[in-house]
Amino acid sequence: MTTPTTPAELYRHGLHLLLRKDIPAWVDLWDDNGVLEFPFAPEGWPERLEGKTAIGDYMRHYPDHVDLHDFPDVKIHQTTAAETIVVEMRGVGRLVETGASYDMAYIAVVTVEDGLITSYRDYWNPLAVQQPGADFVGAGR
């Protein structure tokens, strides 16, 4: 793939990396001081991760718990700020531990500066992590 040049291209490239379960490459899309926020995080889950290292630690075991198969219905909206996009999408797959289906709707607000993600606000349904096998951060342990 050519080097992503726009926030939308970088985001789509990141989705491809997640489907390949290449978490280290996905983390490499982040600025060292990037911030990942979860405004609807349930109790015991992080609300804010600061820095590439913290984001990498959070995502490291994701593929061990959620086997993503596709991101259908990805819609990327450009904002009036060229470096910021709003994304509507679904992630589908299965929960590794139980084999249960996984179908999550997301809305993300993402800012990219100098080709790296600096801010990502991830709006997802916290009720979905109440399923057995979905707790990849250990909140319920």
Side-chain angles (χ1 to χ4, degrees), residues 47-96:
E47 294 176 10
R48 181 180 173 96
L49 300 167
E50 296 185 23
K52 187 179 201 173
T53 300
I55 293 163
D57 289 345
Y58 173 81
M59 288 294 293
R60 178 180 310 131
H61 299 291
Y62 187 86
D64 298 332
H65 299 275
V66 179
D67 179 19
L68 289 170
H69 298 164
D70 193 13
F71 290 103
D73 309 320
V74 176
K75 295 177 184 80
I76 298 178
H77 308 278
Q78 185 60 55
T79 69
T80 57
E83 67 277 1
T84 300
I85 57 175
V86 175
V87 182
E88 298 176 81
M89 67 177 194
R90 286 178 40 234
V92 297
R94 69 178 181 85
L95 297 176
V96 173

Side-chain angles (χ1 to χ4, degrees), residues 11 30 35-37 89 108-110 117-122:
Y11 193 86
W30 284 80
V35 175
L36 176 56
E37 296 178 273
M89 67 177 194
V109 179
V110 181
I117 300 168
T118 57
S119 175
Y120 190 125
R121 283 191 314 277
D122 192 355

Side-chain angles (χ1 to χ4, degrees), residues 13-15 24-26 63 65 97 109 113 115 121 138 140:
H13 178 62
L15 293 179
W26 183 83
H65 299 275
E97 181 180 314
V109 179
E113 297 175 17
R121 283 191 314 277

